[in-house]
Every structure is written in structure tokens, then in C-alpha cells.
Amino acid sequence: YKAIDLGFSGDRTEHVLYRIANGEFDGYKAKAIVLMIGTNNTGHRDVVSESALDTALGVKQVVEELQAQFADATVILHPIFPRGAATNDPMRVRNDLVNSVIRKLADGKGVLWCDFNSRLLTADGSLEKSMASDLLHPGEAGYEIWAEELKPFLDYALGRTEKAPRSKAKPAPTALPQNGPRTGRPEGKMHWL
């Protein structure tokens, strides 16, 4: 695949945006860009400092900047992986809120949504330590699922298949709150997409 990994441990959306703006991606040509970002935004900041919508806006900006720099590339966007053991874990809920917004960035052409989060979970939505020993980073079984799910998207982006794939996984069980993530107030619909 001639892949290059430009992600770093602890990356947040603003780090990627800084690197794009300061030439890290200069000189590269890409047919496919695989992007999963946001868990370090939500994991390193409380909801007062950065709401789920703030994180989603950061992801949106990263996608837009990548599309501007690599106009011919297909962005394969992943949701933030499940975090925490239970569906009502505050980190999981927050990331699920981000995912519910960023999935709308996928247009089926230039941005594809590759979601297999439900395959990382048990039937009741639990994340087990056998899948992610720290309840965040996938282990070997998770990476095997990731590779299997990602391959059709890469093949499409690289011109090896003609029909754009769709995520087959059902939406992961979630415990999304009825009120907004920042203050508990209803936030209404998000119209920015």
C-alpha cells in the first residue's frame, strides 16, 4: 500500500492542524487518507474546556484541510473507537456524541465513513479488556478487525474496486444523554454540517 503514518501518540485535532499548516504534509501525494482523531481531545480536556461539538468541529476542520491539500484523495474517516467498559461511561458517551456529528462529514465520495465500533464490543455494548486491555487501545484482535474492515475502503480509494463500500457494522450501543454535554442544557440540533 506504500503507506506512511503521520499520527503521533497523544495527537489532538489542533496538533494535526498545526502540522498541516506548517508543512508536514508538503511534498506528499495521497490517494487515500485514513483518519481517526478526537479521543485525545475528549480524554485530555473536561467538557467545560472542550465540548463534544468543539471536538467534532476540530475533526471537521482537519477533514477540510486534508481535502484542500489532497484534492484527489479519498478520506476514510473512522469514528472515535469505544472508550471505557460500559455504554454509560462518560468518556464513551462523549465520544459517541462526537461520532454522531462527524459521521455526517461522509459524502460517500470524497469522504467515506468506516465504522466498525460495534465489532469491538460485546452484544450489550461492553468493551472488554480482551479487546482493549486499557479499555481504549485495541489489542491484536481489534487490529485484525480494523484491517479486515478497512481493506475494502482502501481498495476503493486506490482504484482497485469500482463501488464505494459502506460500513456493514450496526451502530454501536450507546447511552447518549438527552441534554447537552457541556452544561446539561438542551443544545438542540447541530446545523453546521
Side-chain angles (χ1 to χ4, degrees), residues 130-184:
S130 59
M131 184 59 70
S133 62
D134 61 357
L135 300 176
L136 171 61
H137 298 94
E140 185 177 341
Y143 277 104
E144 288 175 6
I145 292 168
W146 193 349
E148 176 187 325
E149 292 284 339
L150 180 57
K151 186 178 183 318
F153 288 85
L154 285 174
D155 287 343
Y156 172 75
L158 298 175
R160 296 176 182 176
T161 59
E162 292 186 22
K163 186 175 180 187
R166 293 189 176 272
S167 292
K168 296 178 222 148
K170 61 183 178 186
T174 187
L176 294 178
Q178 296 300 317
N179 294 324
R182 184 186 295 263
T183 62

Short mmCIF file of all heavy atoms in Angstrom, two decimals, residues 130-184:
data_model
loop_
_atom_site.label_atom_id
_atom_site.label_comp_id
_atom_site.label_asym_id
_atom_site.label_seq_id
_atom_site.Cartn_x
_atom_site.Cartn_y
_atom_site.Cartn_z
N SER A 130 -10.18 -7.99 26.94
CA SER A 130 -9.60 -8.88 25.94
C SER A 130 -9.52 -8.19 24.57
O SER A 130 -8.71 -8.57 23.73
CB SER A 130 -10.42 -10.17 25.83
OG SER A 130 -11.75 -9.89 25.46
N MET A 131 -10.34 -7.17 24.35
CA MET A 131 -10.31 -6.41 23.10
C MET A 131 -9.40 -5.19 23.22
O MET A 131 -8.70 -4.83 22.28
CB MET A 131 -11.73 -5.96 22.73
CG MET A 131 -11.83 -5.25 21.39
SD MET A 131 -11.28 -6.21 19.96
CE MET A 131 -12.57 -7.44 19.85
N ALA A 132 -9.43 -4.55 24.39
CA ALA A 132 -8.60 -3.37 24.64
C ALA A 132 -8.20 -3.41 26.11
O ALA A 132 -9.00 -3.06 26.98
CB ALA A 132 -9.36 -2.10 24.32
N SER A 133 -6.98 -3.83 26.38
CA SER A 133 -6.57 -4.08 27.76
C SER A 133 -6.69 -2.84 28.65
O SER A 133 -6.93 -2.95 29.84
CB SER A 133 -5.15 -4.65 27.82
OG SER A 133 -4.23 -3.72 27.28
N ASP A 134 -6.54 -1.65 28.06
CA ASP A 134 -6.67 -0.41 28.82
C ASP A 134 -8.04 0.25 28.60
O ASP A 134 -8.25 1.38 29.00
CB ASP A 134 -5.55 0.56 28.47
CG ASP A 134 -5.55 0.97 27.00
OD1 ASP A 134 -6.39 0.47 26.22
OD2 ASP A 134 -4.70 1.81 26.63
N LEU A 135 -8.95 -0.48 27.97
CA LEU A 135 -10.29 0.00 27.64
C LEU A 135 -10.24 1.24 26.74
O LEU A 135 -11.12 2.09 26.78
CB LEU A 135 -11.12 0.26 28.90
CG LEU A 135 -11.34 -0.97 29.78
CD1 LEU A 135 -12.08 -0.60 31.05
CD2 LEU A 135 -12.08 -2.07 29.02
N LEU A 136 -9.21 1.28 25.89
CA LEU A 136 -9.06 2.38 24.95
C LEU A 136 -8.38 1.92 23.66
O LEU A 136 -8.94 2.05 22.58
CB LEU A 136 -8.24 3.51 25.59
CG LEU A 136 -7.81 4.66 24.68
CD1 LEU A 136 -9.01 5.38 24.08
CD2 LEU A 136 -6.93 5.64 25.46
N HIS A 137 -7.18 1.38 23.77
CA HIS A 137 -6.41 0.98 22.58
C HIS A 137 -6.68 -0.47 22.23
O HIS A 137 -6.51 -1.34 23.07
CB HIS A 137 -4.91 1.17 22.85
CG HIS A 137 -4.53 2.58 23.14
ND1 HIS A 137 -4.46 3.07 24.44
CD2 HIS A 137 -4.24 3.60 22.32
CE1 HIS A 137 -4.12 4.35 24.39
NE2 HIS A 137 -3.98 4.70 23.12
N PRO A 138 -7.09 -0.74 20.99
CA PRO A 138 -7.36 -2.14 20.60
C PRO A 138 -6.10 -3.00 20.73
O PRO A 138 -4.99 -2.53 20.51
CB PRO A 138 -7.79 -2.05 19.13
CG PRO A 138 -8.05 -0.61 18.87
CD PRO A 138 -7.29 0.18 19.88
N GLY A 139 -6.33 -4.24 21.06
CA GLY A 139 -5.26 -5.23 21.06
C GLY A 139 -5.21 -5.94 19.71
O GLY A 139 -5.79 -5.46 18.71
N GLU A 140 -4.57 -7.09 19.69
CA GLU A 140 -4.38 -7.81 18.43
C GLU A 140 -5.71 -8.12 17.73
O GLU A 140 -5.83 -7.93 16.52
CB GLU A 140 -3.61 -9.11 18.69
CG GLU A 140 -3.27 -9.87 17.44
CD GLU A 140 -2.45 -11.11 17.70
OE1 GLU A 140 -1.83 -11.23 18.77
OE2 GLU A 140 -2.43 -11.98 16.81
N ALA A 141 -6.70 -8.59 18.49
CA ALA A 141 -8.00 -8.92 17.89
C ALA A 141 -8.64 -7.67 17.28
O ALA A 141 -9.23 -7.73 16.20
CB ALA A 141 -8.93 -9.55 18.93
N GLY A 142 -8.51 -6.54 17.95
CA GLY A 142 -9.05 -5.29 17.42
C GLY A 142 -8.36 -4.85 16.15
O GLY A 142 -9.01 -4.38 15.21
N TYR A 143 -7.05 -5.03 16.10
CA TYR A 143 -6.31 -4.66 14.89
C TYR A 143 -6.67 -5.57 13.72
O TYR A 143 -6.72 -5.13 12.57
CB TYR A 143 -4.81 -4.66 15.13
CG TYR A 143 -4.33 -3.38 15.75
CD1 TYR A 143 -4.01 -3.30 17.10
CD2 TYR A 143 -4.22 -2.22 14.98
CE1 TYR A 143 -3.57 -2.12 17.66
CE2 TYR A 143 -3.79 -1.03 15.54
CZ TYR A 143 -3.47 -0.98 16.88
OH TYR A 143 -3.05 0.20 17.43
N GLU A 144 -6.95 -6.83 14.00
CA GLU A 144 -7.38 -7.74 12.93
C GLU A 144 -8.73 -7.30 12.36
O GLU A 144 -8.93 -7.29 11.14
CB GLU A 144 -7.43 -9.17 13.45
CG GLU A 144 -6.05 -9.76 13.67
CD GLU A 144 -6.07 -11.15 14.30
OE1 GLU A 144 -7.17 -11.73 14.47
OE2 GLU A 144 -4.99 -11.65 14.62
N ILE A 145 -9.65 -6.92 13.25
CA ILE A 145 -10.95 -6.41 12.79
C ILE A 145 -10.76 -5.14 11.99
O ILE A 145 -11.34 -4.96 10.91
CB ILE A 145 -11.89 -6.17 14.00
CG1 ILE A 145 -12.27 -7.51 14.65
CG2 ILE A 145 -13.13 -5.37 13.59
CD1 ILE A 145 -12.94 -7.37 16.00
N TRP A 146 -9.92 -4.26 12.48
CA TRP A 146 -9.66 -2.98 11.81
C TRP A 146 -9.13 -3.23 10.40
O TRP A 146 -9.62 -2.66 9.43
CB TRP A 146 -8.66 -2.18 12.63
CG TRP A 146 -8.48 -0.74 12.26
CD1 TRP A 146 -8.95 -0.09 11.16
CD2 TRP A 146 -7.77 0.23 13.02
NE1 TRP A 146 -8.56 1.24 11.18
CE2 TRP A 146 -7.83 1.46 12.32
CE3 TRP A 146 -7.07 0.18 14.21
CZ2 TRP A 146 -7.23 2.62 12.79
CZ3 TRP A 146 -6.47 1.34 14.69
CH2 TRP A 146 -6.55 2.54 13.97
N ALA A 147 -8.15 -4.10 10.27
CA ALA A 147 -7.57 -4.38 8.94
C ALA A 147 -8.63 -4.96 8.00
O ALA A 147 -8.73 -4.54 6.83
CB ALA A 147 -6.40 -5.34 9.08
N GLU A 148 -9.43 -5.88 8.51
CA GLU A 148 -10.48 -6.50 7.68
C GLU A 148 -11.51 -5.48 7.22
O GLU A 148 -11.93 -5.48 6.05
CB GLU A 148 -11.17 -7.59 8.51
CG GLU A 148 -12.33 -8.27 7.84
CD GLU A 148 -13.05 -9.22 8.79
OE1 GLU A 148 -12.39 -9.85 9.63
OE2 GLU A 148 -14.29 -9.29 8.67
N GLU A 149 -11.91 -4.59 8.11
CA GLU A 149 -12.93 -3.59 7.77
C GLU A 149 -12.36 -2.48 6.87
O GLU A 149 -13.06 -1.96 6.01
CB GLU A 149 -13.51 -2.97 9.05
CG GLU A 149 -14.33 -3.94 9.88
CD GLU A 149 -15.71 -4.20 9.32
OE1 GLU A 149 -16.22 -3.39 8.52
OE2 GLU A 149 -16.30 -5.23 9.69
N LEU A 150 -11.11 -2.11 7.07
CA LEU A 150 -10.51 -1.01 6.33
C LEU A 150 -10.15 -1.39 4.89
O LEU A 150 -10.24 -0.55 3.98
CB LEU A 150 -9.26 -0.51 7.07
CG LEU A 150 -8.49 0.64 6.44
CD1 LEU A 150 -9.38 1.87 6.23
CD2 LEU A 150 -7.28 0.98 7.31
N LYS A 151 -9.79 -2.63 4.66
CA LYS A 151 -9.29 -3.06 3.35
C LYS A 151 -10.21 -2.68 2.18
O LYS A 151 -9.74 -2.12 1.19
CB LYS A 151 -8.98 -4.55 3.34
CG LYS A 151 -8.33 -4.99 2.02
CD LYS A 151 -8.00 -6.46 2.04
CE LYS A 151 -7.28 -6.91 0.79
NZ LYS A 151 -7.74 -6.40 -0.47
N PRO A 152 -11.52 -2.94 2.24
CA PRO A 152 -12.37 -2.57 1.10
C PRO A 152 -12.38 -1.06 0.83
O PRO A 152 -12.48 -0.62 -0.32
CB PRO A 152 -13.77 -3.06 1.49
CG PRO A 152 -13.57 -4.02 2.60
CD PRO A 152 -12.27 -3.67 3.26
N PHE A 153 -12.25 -0.27 1.88
CA PHE A 153 -12.23 1.18 1.72
C PHE A 153 -10.94 1.61 1.04
O PHE A 153 -10.95 2.47 0.14
CB PHE A 153 -12.40 1.86 3.08
CG PHE A 153 -13.78 1.74 3.64
CD1 PHE A 153 -14.15 0.62 4.37
CD2 PHE A 153 -14.72 2.74 3.43
CE1 PHE A 153 -15.43 0.50 4.89
CE2 PHE A 153 -16.00 2.63 3.94
CZ PHE A 153 -16.36 1.50 4.67
N LEU A 154 -9.83 1.04 1.46
CA LEU A 154 -8.55 1.33 0.83
C LEU A 154 -8.54 0.89 -0.63
O LEU A 154 -8.07 1.62 -1.51
CB LEU A 154 -7.40 0.67 1.58
CG LEU A 154 -6.99 1.30 2.90
CD1 LEU A 154 -5.95 0.44 3.60
CD2 LEU A 154 -6.46 2.71 2.68
N ASP A 155 -9.06 -0.31 -0.88
CA ASP A 155 -9.10 -0.81 -2.25
C ASP A 155 -9.90 0.12 -3.16
O ASP A 155 -9.50 0.40 -4.29
CB ASP A 155 -9.68 -2.22 -2.30
CG ASP A 155 -8.71 -3.27 -1.75
OD1 ASP A 155 -7.50 -2.96 -1.63
OD2 ASP A 155 -9.16 -4.38 -1.44
N TYR A 156 -11.01 0.65 -2.66
CA TYR A 156 -11.81 1.59 -3.44
C TYR A 156 -11.02 2.89 -3.67
O TYR A 156 -10.94 3.39 -4.80
CB TYR A 156 -13.13 1.89 -2.73
CG TYR A 156 -13.91 2.99 -3.40
CD1 TYR A 156 -14.59 2.76 -4.59
CD2 TYR A 156 -13.92 4.27 -2.85
CE1 TYR A 156 -15.28 3.78 -5.21
CE2 TYR A 156 -14.62 5.29 -3.47
CZ TYR A 156 -15.30 5.05 -4.66
OH TYR A 156 -15.97 6.06 -5.28
N ALA A 157 -10.44 3.43 -2.61
CA ALA A 157 -9.71 4.70 -2.73
C ALA A 157 -8.52 4.58 -3.67
O ALA A 157 -8.16 5.54 -4.35
CB ALA A 157 -9.24 5.15 -1.34
N LEU A 158 -7.92 3.39 -3.75
CA LEU A 158 -6.76 3.18 -4.61
C LEU A 158 -7.15 2.74 -6.01
O LEU A 158 -6.29 2.43 -6.83
CB LEU A 158 -5.83 2.16 -3.97
CG LEU A 158 -5.24 2.57 -2.61
CD1 LEU A 158 -4.42 1.44 -2.01
CD2 LEU A 158 -4.41 3.84 -2.74
N GLY A 159 -8.45 2.68 -6.30
CA GLY A 159 -8.92 2.34 -7.64
C GLY A 159 -8.91 0.85 -7.93
O GLY A 159 -9.02 0.45 -9.09
N ARG A 160 -8.84 0.02 -6.93
CA ARG A 160 -8.82 -1.43 -7.13
C ARG A 160 -10.22 -2.02 -7.24
O ARG A 160 -10.38 -3.14 -7.70
CB ARG A 160 -8.06 -2.10 -5.98
CG ARG A 160 -6.61 -1.69 -5.95
CD ARG A 160 -5.88 -2.27 -4.77
NE ARG A 160 -4.50 -1.80 -4.77
CZ ARG A 160 -3.64 -2.07 -3.82
NH1 ARG A 160 -4.00 -2.81 -2.80
NH2 ARG A 160 -2.41 -1.60 -3.89
N THR A 161 -11.22 -1.27 -6.77
CA THR A 161 -12.62 -1.66 -6.92
C THR A 161 -13.38 -0.42 -7.36
O THR A 161 -12.94 0.71 -7.14
CB THR A 161 -13.22 -2.21 -5.61
OG1 THR A 161 -13.12 -1.21 -4.60
CG2 THR A 161 -12.52 -3.48 -5.15
N GLU A 162 -14.55 -0.64 -7.98
CA GLU A 162 -15.29 0.49 -8.53
C GLU A 162 -16.42 0.98 -7.64
O GLU A 162 -16.81 2.14 -7.73
CB GLU A 162 -15.86 0.10 -9.90
CG GLU A 162 -14.77 -0.07 -10.93
CD GLU A 162 -15.32 -0.30 -12.32
OE1 GLU A 162 -16.48 0.07 -12.57
OE2 GLU A 162 -14.59 -0.86 -13.13
N LYS A 163 -16.94 0.13 -6.79
CA LYS A 163 -18.08 0.52 -5.96
C LYS A 163 -17.60 0.90 -4.56
O LYS A 163 -16.89 0.14 -3.91
CB LYS A 163 -19.08 -0.63 -5.88
CG LYS A 163 -20.35 -0.24 -5.17
CD LYS A 163 -21.38 -1.34 -5.20
CE LYS A 163 -22.62 -0.90 -4.46
NZ LYS A 163 -23.58 -1.96 -4.33
N ALA A 164 -18.01 2.08 -4.12
CA ALA A 164 -17.64 2.54 -2.78
C ALA A 164 -18.26 1.63 -1.73
O ALA A 164 -19.46 1.36 -1.78
CB ALA A 164 -18.09 3.98 -2.57
N PRO A 165 -17.46 1.17 -0.79
CA PRO A 165 -18.01 0.31 0.27
C PRO A 165 -18.78 1.13 1.30
O PRO A 165 -18.64 2.36 1.36
CB PRO A 165 -16.75 -0.30 0.91
CG PRO A 165 -15.70 0.72 0.67
CD PRO A 165 -16.03 1.37 -0.65
N ARG A 166 -19.58 0.45 2.04
CA ARG A 166 -20.31 1.06 3.16
C ARG A 166 -20.00 0.25 4.40
O ARG A 166 -19.81 -0.96 4.33
CB ARG A 166 -21.81 1.06 2.91
CG ARG A 166 -22.24 1.94 1.77
CD ARG A 166 -23.76 2.04 1.77
NE ARG A 166 -24.22 2.96 0.76
CZ ARG A 166 -24.37 4.26 0.95
NH1 ARG A 166 -24.08 4.79 2.09
NH2 ARG A 166 -24.82 5.03 -0.01
N SER A 167 -20.00 0.92 5.53
CA SER A 167 -19.80 0.20 6.78
C SER A 167 -20.95 -0.77 6.98
O SER A 167 -22.12 -0.39 6.85
CB SER A 167 -19.72 1.17 7.96
OG SER A 167 -18.55 1.92 7.88
N LYS A 168 -20.62 -2.01 7.28
CA LYS A 168 -21.64 -3.04 7.48
C LYS A 168 -22.06 -3.15 8.93
O LYS A 168 -23.11 -3.67 9.24
CB LYS A 168 -21.11 -4.39 7.00
CG LYS A 168 -20.82 -4.44 5.54
CD LYS A 168 -20.25 -5.79 5.17
CE LYS A 168 -19.12 -5.56 4.20
NZ LYS A 168 -18.07 -6.47 4.27
N ALA A 169 -21.20 -2.67 9.81
CA ALA A 169 -21.47 -2.82 11.23
C ALA A 169 -22.67 -1.98 11.64
O ALA A 169 -22.86 -0.87 11.17
CB ALA A 169 -20.25 -2.40 12.04
N LYS A 170 -23.48 -2.55 12.50
CA LYS A 170 -24.60 -1.79 13.02
C LYS A 170 -24.07 -0.74 13.99
O LYS A 170 -22.96 -0.87 14.52
CB LYS A 170 -25.58 -2.72 13.73
CG LYS A 170 -24.97 -3.44 14.91
CD LYS A 170 -25.93 -4.40 15.53
CE LYS A 170 -25.19 -5.10 16.68
NZ LYS A 170 -25.88 -6.13 17.31
N PRO A 171 -24.81 0.34 14.22
CA PRO A 171 -24.33 1.35 15.17
C PRO A 171 -24.07 0.71 16.53
O PRO A 171 -24.82 -0.14 16.99
CB PRO A 171 -25.48 2.36 15.24
CG PRO A 171 -26.23 2.16 13.96
CD PRO A 171 -26.07 0.70 13.62
N ALA A 172 -22.99 1.14 17.16
CA ALA A 172 -22.64 0.61 18.47
C ALA A 172 -23.69 1.03 19.49
O ALA A 172 -24.23 2.13 19.41
CB ALA A 172 -21.26 1.11 18.88
N PRO A 173 -23.99 0.15 20.46
CA PRO A 173 -24.92 0.55 21.53
C PRO A 173 -24.37 1.80 22.21
O PRO A 173 -23.17 1.94 22.42
CB PRO A 173 -24.90 -0.65 22.48
CG PRO A 173 -24.45 -1.79 21.65
CD PRO A 173 -23.51 -1.21 20.63
N THR A 174 -25.26 2.69 22.54
CA THR A 174 -24.83 3.95 23.13
C THR A 174 -25.78 4.38 24.23
O THR A 174 -26.90 3.91 24.30
CB THR A 174 -24.72 5.04 22.05
OG1 THR A 174 -24.14 6.20 22.62
CG2 THR A 174 -26.05 5.38 21.45
N ALA A 175 -25.31 5.26 25.05
CA ALA A 175 -26.14 5.81 26.11
C ALA A 175 -26.09 7.33 26.00
O ALA A 175 -25.74 8.03 26.94
CB ALA A 175 -25.64 5.35 27.47
N LEU A 176 -26.40 7.87 24.81
CA LEU A 176 -26.32 9.31 24.59
C LEU A 176 -27.31 10.03 25.49
O LEU A 176 -28.47 9.63 25.58
CB LEU A 176 -26.59 9.65 23.13
CG LEU A 176 -25.57 9.17 22.12
CD1 LEU A 176 -26.00 9.55 20.71
CD2 LEU A 176 -24.19 9.71 22.41
N PRO A 177 -26.86 11.10 26.14
CA PRO A 177 -27.75 11.84 27.02
C PRO A 177 -28.75 12.67 26.23
O PRO A 177 -28.53 12.98 25.07
CB PRO A 177 -26.80 12.76 27.80
CG PRO A 177 -25.66 12.96 26.86
CD PRO A 177 -25.53 11.66 26.09
N GLN A 178 -29.84 13.03 26.88
CA GLN A 178 -30.85 13.88 26.25
C GLN A 178 -30.44 15.34 26.28
O GLN A 178 -30.88 16.13 25.49
CB GLN A 178 -32.20 13.71 26.95
CG GLN A 178 -32.76 12.31 26.82
CD GLN A 178 -32.97 11.91 25.37
OE1 GLN A 178 -33.46 12.68 24.57
NE2 GLN A 178 -32.60 10.69 25.03
N ASN A 179 -29.57 15.71 27.22
CA ASN A 179 -29.15 17.10 27.35
C ASN A 179 -27.75 17.27 26.81
O ASN A 179 -27.02 16.32 26.60
CB ASN A 179 -29.20 17.52 28.82
CG ASN A 179 -30.62 17.53 29.34
OD1 ASN A 179 -31.53 17.88 28.61
ND2 ASN A 179 -30.79 17.13 30.59
N GLY A 180 -27.36 18.52 26.62
CA GLY A 180 -26.06 18.83 26.05
C GLY A 180 -24.91 18.40 26.92
O GLY A 180 -25.01 18.35 28.15
N PRO A 181 -23.76 18.10 26.31
CA PRO A 181 -22.61 17.58 27.04
C PRO A 181 -21.88 18.63 27.86
O PRO A 181 -21.16 18.29 28.78
CB PRO A 181 -21.71 17.06 25.93
CG PRO A 181 -22.08 17.86 24.74
CD PRO A 181 -23.55 18.13 24.89
N ARG A 182 -22.05 19.90 27.60
CA ARG A 182 -21.26 20.92 28.30
C ARG A 182 -21.89 21.29 29.64
O ARG A 182 -21.23 21.29 30.66
CB ARG A 182 -21.10 22.16 27.44
CG ARG A 182 -20.20 23.20 28.10
CD ARG A 182 -20.18 24.47 27.29
NE ARG A 182 -19.59 24.30 26.00
CZ ARG A 182 -18.33 24.58 25.70
NH1 ARG A 182 -17.52 25.04 26.61
NH2 ARG A 182 -17.88 24.40 24.49
N THR A 183 -23.17 21.61 29.65
CA THR A 183 -23.77 22.16 30.86
C THR A 183 -25.00 21.40 31.32
O THR A 183 -25.56 21.71 32.35
CB THR A 183 -24.21 23.61 30.61
OG1 THR A 183 -25.19 23.60 29.57
CG2 THR A 183 -23.04 24.48 30.20
N GLY A 184 -25.43 20.43 30.56
CA GLY A 184 -26.67 19.75 30.88
C GLY A 184 -27.88 20.42 30.24
O GLY A 184 -28.98 19.92 30.34
#
